[in-house]
Amino acid sequence: MAEELEIVLTDDGTHLVRGDLDAHSAEAFEAAMAEVEGTVRLDLSAVDFADSSGLRVLLGLHRRLDDDGGELRIRSAGTRLRRLLSLTGLDQVLALD
């Protein structure tokens, strides 16, 4: 069963994302990130699973921020997510810290 997505804004301004970033949570993630602007830092260390829908929303957020002069920075992506980003070539598009 998919784990519910949770997004917590930490004291340093990083958005800590917990749970699965997939077809079931993509819409909620997009809605939660709809108003963010500037440089947005996502800590994805607690993302247990991501699929193509999750990658789509990350790429969409990156493009929107970039178009508005901002930036998406991904911090602490786990091994599975880094591998997925590498396999899809998104590690060359998204800024990974």
Side-chain angles (χ1 to χ4, degrees):
M1 181 161 173
E3 186 176 327
E4 186 175 332
L5 186 71
E6 178 184 18
I7 303 169
V8 177
L9 185 60
T10 64
D11 291 339
D12 71 353
T14 299
H15 293 83
L16 174 62
V17 182
R18 293 185 185 122
D20 295 342
L21 192 50
D22 58 13
H24 299 287
S25 64
E27 189 174 317
F29 181 80
E30 282 181 310
M33 296 284 107
E35 300 298 320
V36 298
E37 55 187 24
T39 298
V40 174
R41 291 179 305 280
L42 294 180
D43 180 333
L44 302 180
S45 61
V47 170
D48 302 316
F49 174 80
D51 66 9
S52 60
S53 296
L55 296 180
R56 179 188 56 78
V57 295
L58 288 175
L59 184 57
L61 177 58
H62 161 75
R63 287 181 176 157
R64 182 179 63 78
L65 291 169
D66 189 58
D67 288 348
D68 292 340
E71 180 180 26
L72 175 62
R73 308 235 18 119
I74 296 178
R75 299 170 57 183
S76 304
T79 304
R80 286 183 189 170
L81 183 55
R82 280 192 179 268
R83 179 164 165 72
L84 184 58
L85 294 171
S86 176
L87 287 171
T88 59
L90 286 177
D91 63 333
Q92 301 299 309
V93 176
L94 302 175
L96 304 175
D97 292 338

Coordinates of all heavy atoms in Angstrom, one line a residue:
M1 N 0.8 -1.2 0.0 CA 0.0 0.0 0.0 C 0.9 1.2 0.0 O 1.9 1.3 0.7 CB -0.9 0.0 1.2 CG -1.8 1.2 1.3 SD -3.2 0.8 2.4 CE -4.0 2.3 2.4
A2 N 0.5 2.2 -0.8 CA 1.3 3.5 -0.9 C 1.2 4.3 0.4 O 0.2 4.4 1.0 CB 0.8 4.3 -2.1
E3 N 2.4 4.8 0.7 CA 2.5 5.7 1.9 C 2.0 7.1 1.5 O 2.4 7.6 0.4 CB 3.9 5.7 2.4 CG 4.1 6.4 3.7 CD 5.5 6.4 4.2 OE1 6.2 5.4 4.0 OE2 5.9 7.4 4.8
E4 N 1.2 7.7 2.3 CA 0.7 9.0 2.1 C 1.8 10.0 2.0 O 2.8 10.0 2.8 CB -0.3 9.4 3.2 CG -1.0 10.7 2.9 CD -2.0 11.0 4.0 OE1 -2.6 10.1 4.6 OE2 -2.3 12.2 4.2
L5 N 1.7 11.0 1.1 CA 2.7 12.0 0.9 C 2.6 13.1 2.0 O 1.5 13.5 2.3 CB 2.6 12.6 -0.5 CG 3.7 13.6 -0.8 CD1 5.0 12.9 -1.1 CD2 3.3 14.3 -2.1
E6 N 3.7 13.5 2.6 CA 3.7 14.6 3.5 C 4.8 15.6 3.1 O 5.9 15.1 2.8 CB 3.9 14.1 4.9 CG 4.0 15.1 6.0 CD 4.3 14.5 7.4 OE1 4.8 13.4 7.5 OE2 4.1 15.3 8.3
I7 N 4.5 16.9 3.2 CA 5.5 17.9 2.9 C 5.6 18.8 4.1 O 4.6 19.4 4.5 CB 5.2 18.7 1.6 CG1 5.0 17.7 0.4 CG2 6.3 19.7 1.3 CD1 4.5 18.3 -0.8
V8 N 6.8 18.9 4.7 CA 7.0 19.8 5.9 C 8.0 20.8 5.5 O 9.1 20.5 5.0 CB 7.5 18.9 7.0 CG1 7.8 19.7 8.3 CG2 6.5 17.8 7.4
L9 N 7.7 22.1 5.8 CA 8.7 23.2 5.6 C 9.6 23.2 6.9 O 9.1 23.5 8.0 CB 8.0 24.5 5.4 CG 8.9 25.7 5.0 CD1 9.7 25.4 3.8 CD2 8.0 26.9 4.9
T10 N 10.9 23.0 6.7 CA 11.8 23.0 7.9 C 12.2 24.4 8.2 O 12.0 25.4 7.4 CB 13.0 22.1 7.6 OG1 13.7 22.7 6.5 CG2 12.6 20.7 7.3
D11 N 12.9 24.6 9.3 CA 13.4 25.9 9.8 C 14.3 26.6 8.8 O 14.3 27.8 8.7 CB 14.1 25.8 11.2 CG 13.1 25.4 12.3 OD1 11.9 25.7 12.1 OD2 13.5 24.9 13.3
D12 N 15.1 25.8 8.0 CA 16.0 26.4 7.1 C 15.4 26.7 5.7 O 16.0 27.0 4.8 CB 17.3 25.6 7.0 CG 17.1 24.3 6.2 OD1 15.9 23.9 5.9 OD2 18.1 23.6 5.9
G13 N 14.1 26.5 5.6 CA 13.3 26.8 4.4 C 13.3 25.6 3.4 O 12.8 25.8 2.2
T14 N 13.8 24.4 3.8 CA 13.8 23.3 2.9 C 12.4 22.6 3.1 O 11.9 22.5 4.2 CB 14.9 22.3 3.3 OG1 16.2 22.9 3.1 CG2 14.9 21.0 2.5
H15 N 11.9 22.1 2.0 CA 10.7 21.3 2.0 C 11.1 19.8 2.1 O 11.6 19.2 1.2 CB 9.9 21.5 0.7 CG 9.3 22.9 0.6 ND1 10.1 23.9 0.1 CD2 8.1 23.4 0.9 CE1 9.3 25.0 0.1 NE2 8.1 24.7 0.6
L16 N 10.8 19.2 3.3 CA 11.1 17.8 3.5 C 9.9 17.0 3.0 O 8.7 17.2 3.4 CB 11.3 17.5 5.0 CG 11.4 16.1 5.4 CD1 12.7 15.4 4.7 CD2 11.5 16.0 6.9
V17 N 10.1 16.1 2.0 CA 9.0 15.3 1.4 C 9.2 13.9 2.0 O 10.2 13.3 1.9 CB 9.2 15.3 -0.1 CG1 8.0 14.5 -0.7 CG2 9.2 16.8 -0.7
R18 N 8.0 13.4 2.5 CA 8.0 12.0 3.0 C 6.9 11.2 2.3 O 5.9 11.8 2.1 CB 7.7 12.1 4.5 CG 8.7 12.7 5.4 CD 8.3 12.5 6.9 NE 9.2 13.2 7.7 CZ 8.9 14.2 8.6 NH1 7.6 14.6 8.7 NH2 9.8 14.7 9.3
G19 N 7.2 10.0 2.1 CA 6.2 9.1 1.5 C 6.5 8.7 0.1 O 7.7 8.7 -0.3
D20 N 5.5 8.4 -0.7 CA 5.7 8.0 -2.1 C 5.3 9.2 -3.0 O 4.3 9.9 -2.8 CB 4.7 6.8 -2.4 CG 5.1 5.6 -1.6 OD1 6.2 5.5 -1.1 OD2 4.2 4.7 -1.5
L21 N 6.1 9.4 -4.0 CA 5.9 10.4 -5.0 C 5.5 9.6 -6.3 O 6.4 9.3 -7.1 CB 7.2 11.2 -5.2 CG 7.0 12.5 -6.0 CD1 5.9 13.4 -5.5 CD2 8.3 13.3 -6.0
D22 N 4.2 9.4 -6.4 CA 3.7 8.5 -7.5 C 2.4 9.0 -8.0 O 2.0 10.1 -7.8 CB 3.6 7.1 -7.0 CG 2.7 6.9 -5.8 OD1 1.9 7.9 -5.5 OD2 2.7 5.9 -5.2
A23 N 1.8 8.2 -8.8 CA 0.5 8.5 -9.5 C -0.6 8.9 -8.5 O -1.4 9.8 -8.7 CB 0.0 7.4 -10.4
H24 N -0.5 8.3 -7.3 CA -1.5 8.6 -6.3 C -1.3 9.9 -5.5 O -2.2 10.5 -5.0 CB -1.6 7.5 -5.2 CG -2.0 6.2 -5.9 ND1 -3.2 5.9 -6.3 CD2 -1.2 5.1 -6.1 CE1 -3.3 4.7 -6.8 NE2 -2.1 4.1 -6.7
S25 N -0.1 10.4 -5.5 CA 0.3 11.6 -4.8 C 0.7 12.8 -5.6 O 0.9 13.9 -5.1 CB 1.4 11.3 -3.8 OG 2.6 10.9 -4.5
A26 N 0.8 12.6 -6.9 CA 1.3 13.6 -7.8 C 0.5 14.9 -7.8 O 1.0 16.0 -7.7 CB 1.4 13.1 -9.3
E27 N -0.8 14.7 -7.8 CA -1.7 15.9 -7.8 C -1.6 16.7 -6.5 O -1.5 17.9 -6.5 CB -3.2 15.4 -8.0 CG -4.1 16.6 -8.2 CD -5.5 16.1 -8.6 OE1 -5.7 15.1 -9.4 OE2 -6.5 16.6 -8.0
A28 N -1.5 16.0 -5.4 CA -1.3 16.6 -4.1 C 0.0 17.4 -4.0 O 0.1 18.5 -3.5 CB -1.4 15.6 -3.0
F29 N 1.1 16.7 -4.6 CA 2.4 17.4 -4.6 C 2.3 18.7 -5.4 O 2.8 19.7 -5.0 CB 3.4 16.4 -5.1 CG 4.8 17.0 -5.1 CD1 5.6 17.1 -4.0 CD2 5.4 17.5 -6.3 CE1 6.8 17.6 -4.0 CE2 6.6 18.1 -6.3 CZ 7.4 18.1 -5.2
E30 N 1.7 18.6 -6.6 CA 1.6 19.7 -7.5 C 0.9 20.9 -6.8 O 1.3 22.0 -6.8 CB 0.9 19.4 -8.8 CG 1.8 18.7 -9.8 CD 1.1 18.4 -11.1 OE1 -0.1 17.8 -11.0 OE2 1.6 18.7 -12.1
A31 N -0.2 20.5 -6.1 CA -1.0 21.5 -5.4 C -0.2 22.2 -4.3 O -0.3 23.4 -4.1 CB -2.3 20.9 -4.9
A32 N 0.5 21.4 -3.5 CA 1.3 21.9 -2.4 C 2.4 22.8 -2.9 O 2.8 23.7 -2.2 CB 1.9 20.7 -1.6
M33 N 2.9 22.5 -4.1 CA 4.1 23.3 -4.6 C 3.6 24.5 -5.5 O 4.5 25.2 -6.0 CB 5.0 22.4 -5.4 CG 5.7 21.3 -4.5 SD 7.0 22.0 -3.5 CE 6.3 22.0 -1.9
A34 N 2.3 24.6 -5.7 CA 1.8 25.6 -6.7 C 2.2 27.0 -6.4 O 2.4 27.8 -7.4 CB 0.3 25.5 -6.8
E35 N 2.4 27.4 -5.2 CA 2.7 28.8 -4.8 C 4.1 29.0 -4.5 O 4.5 30.2 -4.3 CB 1.8 29.2 -3.7 CG 0.3 29.1 -3.9 CD -0.2 30.0 -5.1 OE1 0.3 31.1 -5.2 OE2 -1.0 29.5 -5.9
V36 N 5.0 28.0 -4.5 CA 6.4 28.3 -4.2 C 7.1 29.0 -5.3 O 6.7 28.9 -6.5 CB 7.1 27.0 -3.8 CG1 6.6 26.3 -2.6 CG2 7.2 26.0 -5.0
E37 N 8.1 29.8 -4.9 CA 8.8 30.6 -5.9 C 10.2 30.8 -5.5 O 10.6 30.5 -4.3 CB 8.1 31.9 -6.2 CG 7.9 32.7 -5.0 CD 7.0 34.0 -5.3 OE1 6.3 34.0 -6.3 OE2 7.2 34.9 -4.5
G38 N 11.0 31.3 -6.3 CA 12.4 31.6 -6.0 C 13.2 30.3 -6.0 O 13.0 29.4 -6.9
T39 N 14.2 30.1 -5.1 CA 14.9 28.9 -5.0 C 14.2 28.0 -4.0 O 14.0 28.4 -2.9 CB 16.4 29.2 -4.5 OG1 17.1 30.0 -5.5 CG2 17.1 27.9 -4.3
V40 N 13.8 26.8 -4.5 CA 13.1 25.8 -3.7 C 14.0 24.6 -3.5 O 14.5 24.1 -4.4 CB 11.8 25.4 -4.4 CG1 11.1 24.3 -3.6 CG2 10.9 26.6 -4.6
R41 N 14.2 24.3 -2.2 CA 15.0 23.1 -1.9 C 14.1 22.0 -1.4 O 13.2 22.2 -0.5 CB 16.0 23.5 -0.8 CG 17.1 24.5 -1.3 CD 18.1 24.8 -0.2 NE 17.4 25.4 1.0 CZ 17.0 26.7 1.1 NH1 17.2 27.5 0.1 NH2 16.5 27.1 2.2
L42 N 14.2 20.9 -2.0 CA 13.4 19.7 -1.6 C 14.4 18.6 -1.0 O 15.4 18.3 -1.7 CB 12.7 19.0 -2.8 CG 11.7 19.8 -3.5 CD1 11.1 19.0 -4.7 CD2 10.5 20.2 -2.6
D43 N 14.1 18.2 0.2 CA 14.8 17.1 0.8 C 14.0 15.8 0.5 O 12.9 15.7 1.0 CB 15.0 17.3 2.3 CG 15.7 16.2 3.0 OD1 15.7 15.0 2.5 OD2 16.3 16.5 4.0
L44 N 14.5 15.0 -0.4 CA 13.8 13.8 -0.8 C 14.3 12.5 -0.1 O 14.1 11.4 -0.6 CB 13.8 13.6 -2.3 CG 13.3 14.8 -3.1 CD1 13.4 14.6 -4.6 CD2 11.8 15.1 -2.7
S45 N 15.1 12.7 1.0 CA 15.6 11.5 1.7 C 14.6 10.6 2.2 O 14.8 9.4 2.4 CB 16.6 12.0 2.8 OG 15.9 12.7 3.8
A46 N 13.4 11.1 2.5 CA 12.3 10.2 3.1 C 11.3 9.8 2.0 O 10.2 9.4 2.3 CB 11.6 11.0 4.2
V47 N 11.6 10.0 0.7 CA 10.7 9.5 -0.3 C 11.0 8.0 -0.5 O 12.2 7.6 -0.9 CB 10.9 10.3 -1.7 CG1 10.2 9.6 -2.8 CG2 10.5 11.7 -1.5
D48 N 10.0 7.2 -0.3 CA 10.2 5.8 -0.3 C 10.1 5.2 -1.7 O 10.7 4.2 -2.0 CB 9.2 5.1 0.6 CG 9.3 5.6 2.0 OD1 10.4 5.7 2.5 OD2 8.2 5.8 2.6
F49 N 9.4 5.8 -2.6 CA 9.1 5.3 -3.9 C 8.7 6.5 -4.8 O 8.1 7.4 -4.4 CB 7.9 4.3 -3.9 CG 7.5 3.8 -5.2 CD1 8.2 2.8 -5.9 CD2 6.4 4.4 -5.9 CE1 7.8 2.4 -7.1 CE2 6.0 3.9 -7.1 CZ 6.7 2.9 -7.7
A50 N 9.2 6.4 -6.0 CA 8.8 7.4 -7.1 C 8.6 6.7 -8.4 O 9.3 5.7 -8.7 CB 9.9 8.5 -7.2
D51 N 7.6 7.1 -9.1 CA 7.4 6.6 -10.5 C 7.4 7.7 -11.5 O 7.8 8.8 -11.2 CB 6.1 5.7 -10.5 CG 4.8 6.5 -10.3 OD1 4.9 7.8 -10.3 OD2 3.7 5.9 -10.1
S52 N 6.9 7.4 -12.7 CA 7.0 8.4 -13.8 C 6.1 9.6 -13.4 O 6.5 10.7 -13.8 CB 6.6 7.8 -15.1 OG 5.2 7.3 -15.0
S53 N 5.0 9.4 -12.7 CA 4.2 10.6 -12.3 C 4.9 11.5 -11.4 O 4.9 12.7 -11.4 CB 2.9 10.1 -11.7 OG 2.1 9.4 -12.6
G54 N 5.7 10.9 -10.4 CA 6.5 11.7 -9.5 C 7.6 12.4 -10.2 O 7.8 13.6 -9.9
L55 N 8.2 11.8 -11.2 CA 9.3 12.4 -12.0 C 8.7 13.6 -12.8 O 9.3 14.6 -12.9 CB 10.0 11.4 -12.9 CG 10.8 10.3 -12.2 CD1 11.4 9.4 -13.2 CD2 11.8 10.9 -11.2
R56 N 7.5 13.4 -13.3 CA 6.8 14.4 -14.1 C 6.6 15.6 -13.3 O 6.8 16.8 -13.7 CB 5.5 13.9 -14.7 CG 4.7 14.9 -15.5 CD 3.3 14.4 -15.9 NE 2.5 14.0 -14.7 CZ 1.9 14.9 -13.9 NH1 2.0 16.2 -14.1 NH2 1.1 14.4 -12.9
V57 N 6.1 15.5 -12.0 CA 5.8 16.7 -11.2 C 7.1 17.4 -10.8 O 7.2 18.6 -10.7 CB 4.9 16.4 -10.0 CG1 3.5 16.0 -10.5 CG2 5.5 15.4 -9.1
L58 N 8.2 16.6 -10.6 CA 9.5 17.2 -10.2 C 10.0 18.1 -11.4 O 10.4 19.2 -11.3 CB 10.5 16.2 -9.9 CG 10.3 15.5 -8.5 CD1 11.4 14.4 -8.3 CD2 10.4 16.5 -7.4
L59 N 9.9 17.5 -12.6 CA 10.3 18.2 -13.8 C 9.4 19.4 -14.1 O 9.9 20.5 -14.4 CB 10.3 17.2 -15.0 CG 10.8 17.8 -16.3 CD1 12.2 18.3 -16.2 CD2 10.7 16.7 -17.4
G60 N 8.1 19.3 -13.9 CA 7.2 20.4 -14.1 C 7.5 21.5 -13.1 O 7.5 22.7 -13.5
L61 N 7.8 21.2 -11.8 CA 8.2 22.2 -10.9 C 9.5 22.9 -11.3 O 9.6 24.1 -11.2 CB 8.3 21.6 -9.5 CG 8.7 22.5 -8.3 CD1 7.8 23.7 -8.2 CD2 8.8 21.7 -7.0
H62 N 10.4 22.1 -11.7 CA 11.7 22.6 -12.2 C 11.5 23.6 -13.3 O 12.0 24.7 -13.3 CB 12.6 21.5 -12.6 CG 13.8 21.9 -13.5 ND1 14.9 22.6 -13.0 CD2 13.9 21.8 -14.9 CE1 15.7 22.9 -14.1 NE2 15.1 22.4 -15.2
R63 N 10.7 23.2 -14.3 CA 10.5 24.1 -15.4 C 9.7 25.4 -15.0 O 10.1 26.5 -15.5 CB 9.7 23.4 -16.5 CG 10.5 22.3 -17.2 CD 9.6 21.6 -18.3 NE 10.4 20.7 -19.0 CZ 10.0 19.7 -19.7 NH1 8.7 19.4 -19.7 NH2 10.8 18.9 -20.3
R64 N 8.7 25.3 -14.2 CA 8.0 26.5 -13.8 C 8.9 27.4 -13.0 O 8.9 28.6 -13.3 CB 6.8 26.1 -12.9 CG 6.0 27.3 -12.5 CD 4.8 26.9 -11.6 NE 5.1 26.3 -10.3 CZ 5.5 27.0 -9.3 NH1 5.7 28.3 -9.3 NH2 5.8 26.3 -8.1
L65 N 9.7 26.9 -12.1 CA 10.6 27.8 -11.3 C 11.6 28.4 -12.2 O 11.9 29.6 -12.1 CB 11.3 27.0 -10.2 CG 10.4 26.5 -9.1 CD1 11.1 25.6 -8.2 CD2 9.8 27.7 -8.3
D66 N 12.2 27.6 -13.1 CA 13.2 28.1 -14.1 C 12.6 29.2 -15.0 O 13.2 30.3 -15.2 CB 13.7 27.0 -14.9 CG 14.9 27.4 -15.8 OD1 15.9 27.8 -15.2 OD2 14.8 27.2 -17.0
D67 N 11.4 29.0 -15.5 CA 10.7 30.0 -16.3 C 10.5 31.3 -15.6 O 10.5 32.4 -16.1 CB 9.4 29.5 -16.8 CG 9.5 28.5 -17.9 OD1 10.6 28.3 -18.4 OD2 8.5 27.8 -18.2
D68 N 10.3 31.2 -14.2 CA 10.1 32.4 -13.4 C 11.4 33.0 -12.8 O 11.3 33.9 -11.9 CB 9.1 32.1 -12.3 CG 7.7 31.8 -12.8 OD1 7.4 32.2 -14.0 OD2 6.9 31.2 -12.1
G69 N 12.5 32.5 -13.2 CA 13.8 33.0 -12.7 C 14.2 32.3 -11.4 O 15.2 32.8 -10.7
G70 N 13.6 31.3 -11.0 CA 13.9 30.6 -9.8 C 14.7 29.3 -10.0 O 15.2 29.1 -11.1
E71 N 14.8 28.4 -9.1 CA 15.6 27.2 -9.2 C 15.0 26.2 -8.3 O 14.6 26.4 -7.1 CB 17.0 27.5 -8.8 CG 17.9 26.4 -8.9 CD 19.4 26.7 -8.5 OE1 19.6 27.7 -7.8 OE2 20.3 26.0 -9.0
L72 N 15.1 24.9 -8.7 CA 14.7 23.8 -7.9 C 16.0 23.1 -7.5 O 16.8 22.7 -8.4 CB 13.8 22.8 -8.6 CG 13.5 21.5 -7.9 CD1 12.8 21.8 -6.6 CD2 12.7 20.6 -8.8
R73 N 16.3 22.9 -6.2 CA 17.5 22.2 -5.8 C 17.0 20.9 -5.0 O 16.2 21.1 -4.1 CB 18.3 23.0 -4.9 CG 18.6 24.3 -5.5 CD 20.0 24.7 -5.7 NE 21.1 23.8 -5.6 CZ 21.9 23.6 -6.6 NH1 21.8 24.1 -7.8 NH2 22.9 22.7 -6.4
I74 N 17.5 19.8 -5.4 CA 17.1 18.5 -4.7 C 18.2 18.1 -3.8 O 19.3 17.9 -4.2 CB 16.7 17.4 -5.7 CG1 15.5 17.9 -6.5 CG2 16.5 16.1 -5.0 CD1 15.1 16.9 -7.6
R75 N 17.9 18.0 -2.5 CA 18.9 17.6 -1.5 C 18.5 16.2 -1.0 O 17.4 15.8 -0.9 CB 18.8 18.5 -0.3 CG 19.2 19.9 -0.7 CD 18.9 20.9 0.4 NE 19.6 20.5 1.6 CZ 19.5 21.2 2.8 NH1 18.7 22.2 2.9 NH2 20.2 20.8 3.8
S76 N 19.5 15.4 -0.8 CA 19.4 14.1 -0.1 C 18.5 13.1 -0.7 O 17.7 12.5 0.0 CB 19.0 14.4 1.4 OG 19.9 15.2 2.0
A77 N 18.5 13.0 -2.0 CA 17.7 12.0 -2.7 C 18.4 10.6 -2.3 O 19.6 10.5 -2.3 CB 17.7 12.2 -4.2
G78 N 17.5 9.7 -2.0 CA 18.0 8.3 -1.6 C 18.6 7.6 -2.8 O 18.5 8.0 -4.0
T79 N 19.2 6.5 -2.6 CA 19.9 5.7 -3.6 C 18.9 5.3 -4.7 O 19.2 5.4 -5.9 CB 20.5 4.4 -3.0 OG1 21.4 4.8 -1.9 CG2 21.2 3.6 -4.0
R80 N 17.7 4.8 -4.4 CA 16.7 4.4 -5.4 C 16.3 5.6 -6.3 O 16.2 5.4 -7.5 CB 15.5 3.8 -4.8 CG 15.7 2.4 -4.2 CD 14.4 1.9 -3.7 NE 14.5 0.7 -2.9 CZ 13.6 0.2 -2.2 NH1 12.4 0.8 -2.1 NH2 13.8 -0.9 -1.5
L81 N 16.0 6.7 -5.6 CA 15.6 7.9 -6.4 C 16.7 8.4 -7.3 O 16.5 8.7 -8.4 CB 15.1 8.9 -5.5 CG 14.5 10.2 -6.2 CD1 13.4 9.8 -7.2 CD2 14.0 11.2 -5.1
R82 N 18.0 8.4 -6.8 CA 19.1 8.9 -7.6 C 19.3 7.9 -8.8 O 19.6 8.4 -9.9 CB 20.4 8.9 -6.7 CG 20.5 10.1 -5.9 CD 21.9 10.3 -5.3 NE 22.0 11.5 -4.5 CZ 22.3 12.7 -5.0 NH1 22.7 12.8 -6.3 NH2 22.4 13.7 -4.2
R83 N 19.1 6.6 -8.6 CA 19.2 5.7 -9.7 C 18.2 6.0 -10.7 O 18.4 6.0 -11.9 CB 19.2 4.3 -9.2 CG 19.3 3.2 -10.3 CD 19.5 1.9 -9.7 NE 19.3 0.8 -10.6 CZ 20.1 0.5 -11.7 NH1 21.1 1.3 -12.0 NH2 19.8 -0.5 -12.5
L84 N 16.9 6.2 -10.3 CA 15.9 6.5 -11.2 C 16.1 7.8 -12.0 O 15.9 7.9 -13.2 CB 14.5 6.6 -10.4 CG 13.3 6.8 -11.2 CD1 13.1 5.7 -12.3 CD2 12.1 6.9 -10.3
L85 N 16.6 8.8 -11.3 CA 16.9 10.1 -12.0 C 18.1 9.9 -13.0 O 18.0 10.4 -14.1 CB 17.3 11.1 -10.9 CG 16.2 11.6 -10.0 CD1 16.8 12.5 -8.9 CD2 15.1 12.3 -10.8
S86 N 19.0 9.0 -12.6 CA 20.1 8.7 -13.5 C 19.7 8.0 -14.8 O 20.0 8.3 -15.9 CB 21.2 7.9 -12.8 OG 22.2 7.6 -13.7
L87 N 18.8 6.9 -14.5 CA 18.3 6.1 -15.6 C 17.5 6.9 -16.6 O 17.5 6.6 -17.8 CB 17.5 5.0 -15.1 CG 18.3 3.8 -14.4 CD1 17.3 2.9 -13.8 CD2 19.1 3.1 -15.4
T88 N 16.8 7.9 -16.1 CA 15.9 8.7 -17.0 C 16.7 10.0 -17.6 O 16.1 10.7 -18.4 CB 14.7 9.2 -16.2 OG1 15.1 10.0 -15.1 CG2 13.8 8.0 -15.8
G89 N 17.9 10.2 -17.1 CA 18.6 11.4 -17.5 C 18.2 12.7 -16.8 O 18.8 13.7 -17.1
L90 N 17.3 12.6 -15.9 CA 16.9 13.8 -15.1 C 18.0 14.3 -14.2 O 17.9 15.4 -13.7 CB 15.6 13.5 -14.4 CG 14.4 13.5 -15.3 CD1 13.1 13.1 -14.4 CD2 14.2 14.8 -16.0
D91 N 19.0 13.4 -13.9 CA 20.1 13.9 -13.0 C 20.9 14.9 -13.8 O 21.7 15.7 -13.1 CB 21.0 12.7 -12.6 CG 21.6 12.0 -13.7 OD1 21.1 12.0 -14.9 OD2 22.7 11.4 -13.5
Q92 N 20.8 15.0 -15.1 CA 21.4 16.0 -15.9 C 20.6 17.3 -16.0 O 21.1 18.3 -16.5 CB 21.8 15.5 -17.3 CG 22.6 14.2 -17.3 CD 24.0 14.5 -16.6 OE1 24.7 15.4 -17.0 NE2 24.3 13.6 -15.6
V93 N 19.4 17.2 -15.6 CA 18.4 18.4 -15.8 C 18.2 19.0 -14.4 O 18.2 20.3 -14.3 CB 17.1 17.9 -16.4 CG1 16.1 19.1 -16.5 CG2 17.3 17.3 -17.8
L94 N 17.9 18.2 -13.4 CA 17.6 18.7 -12.1 C 18.9 18.9 -11.3 O 19.9 18.2 -11.4 CB 16.7 17.7 -11.3 CG 15.4 17.4 -12.0 CD1 14.7 16.3 -11.2 CD2 14.5 18.6 -12.1
A95 N 18.9 20.0 -10.5 CA 20.1 20.3 -9.6 C 20.0 19.4 -8.4 O 19.2 19.5 -7.6 CB 20.1 21.7 -9.2
L96 N 21.0 18.5 -8.3 CA 21.1 17.5 -7.2 C 22.2 18.0 -6.3 O 23.4 18.1 -6.7 CB 21.3 16.1 -7.6 CG 20.3 15.5 -8.6 CD1 20.7 14.1 -9.1 CD2 18.9 15.5 -8.0
D97 N 21.9 18.2 -5.0 CA 23.0 18.6 -4.0 C 23.4 17.3 -3.3 O 22.7 16.4 -3.2 CB 22.4 19.6 -3.0 CG 22.2 20.9 -3.7 OD1 22.7 21.2 -4.7 OD2 21.4 21.7 -3.1

